[in-house]
Amino acid sequence: MAEIKLEEVRKSYGPAEVVHGVDLTIPDGEFLVLVGPSGCGKSTILRMIAGLETVTSGRISIDRRIVNRLEPKDRDIAMVFQNYALYPHMSVYQNMAYGLKVRGVHKADIHNRVNEAAVTLGLGEYLDRKPRALSGGQRQRVAMGRALVRNPKAFLFDEPLSNLDAKLRNQMRVELKQLHARLKNTFVYVTHDQVEAMTLGQRIMVLRDGNVEQVGTPDEIYNQPASTFVAGFIGAPSMNILSGSVDGDAIRFAGKAGLVHAGSLPGREVKIGVRPEHLCLRKEGEGDYCQVRAKVALIEPLGGDTVVHCRLNGGSDENIIIRVHPDEKVGENETAILYFKADTLHLFDAETQRRINGVQVCAG
């Protein structure tokens, strides 16, 4: 196991800088997920940790040893790729043993390590099969087993589940989390799937255009997003972001003075965030409720709940999405009153798009 540390790490391809000064410490034994849209730099960061990409500037250390100039084979890490990268002519046993064999590990030790990993990953009955005789999930287990037998200080995963169907992805997420709990090694995991990030990571680093938007626990990322980007990227459906203007101690949105604030607000424009599950079609219990009128545009029944797409009235003409219980009936093209509690709202600066803290709001 090992701590991994990045200090002002940058990566450029010619004049184009794609990773902009990342500072990050991954404690020994942590499961960290790097998440963000395609092209945000997450795989590049992972490949720099692995030694498959050079670092333009800054330092990377593994187990307190600077590894910038070390070859990948000398970093004592194991990487699991998206495309499995199995040898088609070799059996499962041979695929898992190959890396140890070329390193000159004793045959008896190889046998013990491969069999132990096979038991851990549920591959015991498939050791004599070729990759073509396995399902996608089984092939991915073999790829993980090949990494596991090396007993590395850290495991790096580059979107390992993206080629699997939805059911297998769910199953493999559970297995990965259980594997980490057993091994207690450092895991660094790259994905563009925010569900994977939320369910797997002990901490999450959200990236955008090579910059770190936020690092925190899943609870912090979801409930205290540092920017409108994080608020919109994490959550399905994503957080509603509404435009508002500050007028004295009032915040106007959806064409009316909807909120009263206590605290300093920068500028005259703000963004107001509210999660779809915090909106409802009727008041539920006591509380300081705000309300807006909206026209129902589309209804998506999902079984356990219903997602309702609306257009706000009052001149703003903004989209707003609510997630409600299937028993709450509403028809398309109907006008509905949407209720939400003031303490569920998030405020962002309209210019910087960053979270505003220290401001209390209540219904106006």
Side-chain angles (χ1 to χ4, degrees), residues 337-348:
I337 298 177
L338 310 183
Y339 296 95
F340 52 97
K341 292 183 179 180
D343 61 7
T344 65
L345 299 179
H346 305 258
L347 289 181
F348 304 91

Side-chain angles (χ1 to χ4, degrees), residues 64-243:
R64 299 184 180 180
R65 180 175 65 159
I66 297 172
V67 298
N68 288 40
R69 298 184 183 278
L70 284 183
E71 293 294 320
K73 65 183 177 63
D74 299 321
R75 298 191 182 199
D76 199 10
I77 53 88
M79 192 160 178
V80 179
F81 297 92
Q82 175 181 347
N83 61 359
Y84 317 141
L86 302 178
Y87 296 107
H89 63 289
M90 292 184 180
S91 68
V92 168
Y93 182 96
Q94 291 168 330
N95 266 283
M96 292 171 65
Y98 183 74
L100 298 177
K101 183 178 179 181
V102 297
R103 286 174 173 80
V105 178
H106 192 274
K107 187 174 181 179
D109 194 14
I110 292 175
H111 181 77
N112 290 336
R113 290 200 208 179
V114 170
N115 279 282
E116 184 178 344
V119 170
T120 298
L121 296 168
L123 292 170
E125 61 184 288
Y126 305 109
L127 288 175
D128 294 328
R129 294 191 187 183
K130 299 287 177 58
R132 64 176 177 273
L134 303 176
S135 68
Q138 290 165 343
R139 292 178 193 177
Q140 193 55 274
R141 286 196 197 94
V142 176
M144 287 191 288
R146 186 174 52 192
L148 186 59
V149 295
R150 291 179 51 194
N151 192 26
K153 289 180 178 177
F155 291 89
L156 310 181
F157 298 87
D158 192 4
E159 304 205 42
L161 308 185
S162 60
N163 288 334
L164 305 181
D165 61 43
K167 184 177 180 180
L168 268 177
R169 281 201 304 272
N170 292 340
Q171 179 183 337
M172 289 300 297
R173 281 204 309 267
V174 173
E175 293 181 7
L176 268 171
K177 200 161 187 173
Q178 291 172 337
L179 181 64
H180 178 259
R182 286 197 298 271
L183 298 178
K184 296 181 171 58
N185 286 65
T186 306
F187 279 28
V188 186
Y189 187 101
V190 160
T191 183
H192 63 273
D193 186 331
Q194 54 95 15
V195 174
E196 282 183 23
M198 291 291 289
T199 55
L200 287 174
Q202 293 173 325
R203 279 196 308 156
I204 298 169
M205 183 167 77
V206 184
L207 289 153
R208 180 189 188 189
D209 297 332
N211 292 297
V212 178
E213 285 281 319
Q214 187 174 359
V215 181
T217 65
D219 181 72
E220 290 167 344
I221 296 288
Y222 190 80
N223 292 309
Q224 301 174 54
S227 66
T228 54
F229 174 81
V230 176
F233 190 80
I234 300 295
S238 62
M239 182 183 288
N240 296 290
I241 305 294
L242 310 176
S243 298

Side-chain angles (χ1 to χ4, degrees), residues 281-357:
L281 296 171
R282 59 177 180 265
K283 293 182 180 180
E284 299 174 352
E286 299 297 323
D288 190 16
Y289 276 92
C290 309
Q291 65 182 61
V292 293
R293 296 175 67 85
K295 187 173 184 179
V296 177
L298 179 68
I299 298 172
E300 293 182 296
L302 300 178
D305 53 20
T306 299
V307 174
V308 183
H309 299 254
C310 304
R311 298 282 286 180
L312 286 180
N313 296 341
S316 65
D317 202 32
E318 293 178 289
N319 293 319
I320 189 167
I321 298 173
I322 65 175
R323 183 192 288 271
V324 297
H325 192 275
D327 291 343
E328 295 190 68
K329 301 299 183 183
V330 64
E332 292 184 0
N333 298 315
E334 288 184 6
T335 297
I337 298 177
L338 310 183
Y339 296 95
F340 52 97
K341 292 183 179 180
D343 61 7
T344 65
L345 299 179
H346 305 258
L347 289 181
F348 304 91
D349 184 281
E351 183 177 354
T352 66
Q353 305 291 302
R354 304 299 294 181
R355 183 181 185 84
I356 301 170
N357 292 310

